[in-house]
Amino acid sequence: MERLPGGRRPRLVSSLGLGRRSWEVTLDEERGRLAWRDPRPPRRLRENCFVPISEIIAVEETEFNKKQRNIGRWQKMAKLHAFTVYYVKKARNHRWRCSDVTFWCVEEHLCNQWIQALKELLEMQKSRPKQLLVYINPYGGKRQGKRIYEQKVAPLFSLASISTDVVITEHANHAKDNLLEVNIYKYDGVVCVGGDGMFSEVMHGLIGRIQKDSGIDQNNPKASLVQCNIRIGIIPAGSTDCICYSTVGISDPVTSALHIIVGDCQPLDVSSVHHNNTFLKYSVSLLGYGFYGDILKDSEKKRWMGPMRYDYSGFKTFLSHHYYEGTIAYQPAKHTHGSPRDKESCRTGCHICKKSEKQLAEQNKEHGLKHEGGEEEWKVIKGKFLAINAVSMSCACPRSPKGLSPAAHLADGSADLILVRKCSRFDFLRYLVRHTNQDDQFDFPFVDVYRVKCFQFTSKLSEDNESNVMDIGKKRFGQFCRDHPACCCNIVNSTWNCDGETLDSSAIEVRVHCQLMKLFARGIEENCKDEAAHSQSSIEQLL
Ligand SMILES: Nc1ncnc2c1ncn2[C@@H]1O[C@H](COP(=O)(O)OP(=O)(O)OP(=O)(O)O)[C@@H](O)[C@H]1O
Ligand SMILES: CCCCCCCCCCCCC/C=C/[C@@H](O)[C@H](CO)NC(C)=O
Ligand SMILES: [Ca+2]
């Protein structure tokens, strides 16, 4: 396409065949879309059909006769030339699918002009990945990771001309260790096929590698960590897939692959967890002590059950009704404008996360990598708790579509700290059930929620018994109590559930790092079936 003054491109408008009819097709670079309309539509179809260029997956020359149905006299009169545009079609519940439309014409030159113009525009989509490093956990979830990748994802990557290096993991920590060695900088992103645990591995590998290459000591809980700009894509094939669900709105491999192909980018908060100046773990979803820690600990022994293990251990843990005593100290997140009791949730283009992004940029400009603002007031809470949950995102998942904290933000630099105090089994059940319906799960006298930027937790046991000798006794006592399932006493420690991995230390120090990493996602889109998809479906009815 020739350029107009100022580098602008003209619109490319042609009359092209689509099905049996002739359509007016427009490639409008300024509006960023490919549109087609029937110049003489029946009354019920006076719509313009369009696809945003940013959601076109690929364009290919098409061998017309193989692909098309009989289009009547045109086919007999001349050799036809055709091209197919593959694009994202948005279905219900945030599901994306790859759809296609084939246009034809008699002139070869016109067909080539269209293919070239579309390819040039796709080349200009700079955020799209060209080379990806893929890790597949063959044992996650229902052990379908390899099949899902090969059958549903690889063909889409190949259609979009993305080249991949694929590693099928052979043991736990394979991906993490590998990321510390390989030349990660030649890739535009890393994809993990598996569940939250697999994502956590890849995230630890990437963040750890960036800190190592930048000379940052991860053991220092006050260090300002260096942001990781290599995006991670999640192809869900795990048991909970909470991180995928909370950032895309659905756990569906094809939808996630398409978000990777179009080059989406969603920044994500990451919490660091330390104990005594020793780095333990990073977390992006749930850090849970008590109920979720106990479920995880029990379910790890039942991995052979697959995703069902969480239901089994969940029921068992609910019946055991253990509570734990301890002290929590936290610093409120004063920089962010939202509250955990907001009615609005974090959605694509969220203005609260955008404000945090701006603040972060200003802060980095002023202070470089030096950590600031550590001396604000701490609030202290002591008590007996059934659950202590800190979530950096909503933690929505198929079991709980609004999540543990429905108004938590993906990238605002804060976590929601949820304290569920000792209450009756019946009340705790009411609290749990509210995760599955529209009622407010924070509207109970025994539940408190705070938006925090950091917190510390020490169990009563760690406070009381600090010496090694006492530690041995404590472990023995713990064993004793576990041997009597009917006992609900609080003299044992729970474990922390850190994004689905257990942490044995019950005294921890947690800090949220605003937007430390990025995903191939765009957050959850507002739940309306968009105009383009609507028009596309009417077109399909017509063809
Ligand atoms: N080849 C392997 N063999 C054994 N374990 C592996 C292998 N590859 C990865 N892992 C480990 O398996 C753990 C669980 O995997 P993954 O998260 O994919 O599935 P899941 O636990 O079923 O799902 P979720 O985390 O969503 O509940 C990860 O923590 C990862 O370290
Ligand atoms: C009787 C009805 C009870 C319904 C209880 C529903 C509550 C479900 C909430 C699930 C939240 C899961 C948060 C995600 C945690 C993940 O990090 C982790 C690893 O995948 N998964 C689990 C289960 O720990
Ligand atoms: Ca957050």
Side-chain angles (χ1 to χ4, degrees), residues 73-121:
R73 65 191 169 97
W74 282 105
Q75 215 168 359
K76 291 180 196 128
M77 282 167 61
K79 176 170 167 31
L80 302 179
H81 301 274
F83 61 95
T84 300
V85 178
Y86 298 88
Y87 60 90
V88 169
K89 180 173 174 176
K90 296 180 180 181
R92 282 184 203 290
N93 299 326
H94 312 288
R95 191 181 298 276
W96 285 14
R97 283 290 172 264
C98 175
S99 196
D100 60 79
V101 54
T102 298
F103 298 105
W104 55 266
C105 58
V106 177
E107 306 89 0
E108 185 175 9
H109 166 75
L110 183 63
C111 181
N112 289 338
Q113 193 187 0
W114 270 91
I115 294 172
Q116 195 193 336
L118 281 161
K119 284 200 165 160
E120 275 177 25
L121 282 180

Side-chain angles (χ1 to χ4, degrees), residues 202-417:
V202 167
M203 170 183 74
H204 279 82
L206 261 186
I207 298 180
R209 173 67 182 272
I210 303 286
Q211 308 318 308
K212 187 174 137 213
D213 291 357
S214 317
I216 301 286
D217 176 12
Q218 291 186 101
N219 284 322
N220 175 4
K222 295 208 164 57
S224 270
L225 301 176
V226 175
Q227 265 182 320
C228 174
N229 290 317
I230 302 177
R231 284 167 288 174
I232 304 181
I234 309 173
I235 302 297
S239 301
T240 318
D241 298 321
C242 144
I243 300 156
C244 176
Y245 195 100
S246 301
T247 53
V248 174
I250 186 168
S251 49
D252 173 62
V254 170
T255 305
S256 291
L258 294 171
H259 279 282
I260 295 171
I261 289 169
V262 302
D264 274 344
C265 182
Q266 172 64 52
L268 212 59
D269 294 337
V270 179
S271 298
S272 59
V273 188
H274 286 81
H275 170 72
N276 275 348
N277 286 325
T278 305
F279 168 72
L280 299 179
K281 278 258 179 231
Y282 293 117
S283 161
V284 292
S285 57
L286 166 70
L287 251 175
Y289 190 79
F291 186 64
Y292 286 105
D294 293 351
I295 291 183
L296 187 70
K297 187 145 193 178
D298 189 70
S299 69
E300 282 298 292
K301 294 175 253 162
K302 313 240 162 17
R303 275 213 163 260
W304 56 269
M305 289 175 86
M308 282 279 289
R309 68 189 186 279
Y310 289 131
D311 298 316
Y312 171 82
S313 299
F315 186 60
K316 216 172 130 188
T317 307
F318 171 76
L319 289 182
S320 75
H321 200 63
H322 279 293
Y323 61 85
Y324 301 92
E325 210 166 344
T327 307
I328 293 141
Y330 69 89
Q331 284 188 318
K334 290 193 179 145
H335 68 279
T336 130
H337 296 268
S339 136
R341 305 297 296 272
D342 286 343
K343 290 281 163 274
E344 277 177 18
S345 315
C346 184
R347 289 290 177 261
T348 306
C350 168
H351 65 276
I352 289 182
C353 294
K354 283 222 169 97
K355 266 188 195 146
S356 291
E357 188 172 0
K358 255 190 182 166
Q359 284 172 359
L360 185 69
E362 279 160 21
Q363 197 179 305
N364 285 345
K365 227 181 180 176
E366 278 174 34
H367 309 291
L369 286 179
K370 254 178 44 219
H371 176 58
E372 286 294 309
E375 291 319 311
E376 280 168 39
E377 70 171 326
W378 285 84
K379 310 245 183 211
V380 179
I381 298 171
K382 275 179 186 287
K384 293 174 180 164
F385 306 98
L386 282 166
I388 297 169
N389 297 327
V391 297
S392 311
M393 58 170 70
S394 69
C395 285
C397 61
R399 277 162 211 272
S400 171
K402 58 180 186 161
L404 294 180
S405 189
H409 288 268
L410 293 171
D412 65 340
S414 79
D416 288 351
L417 180 61

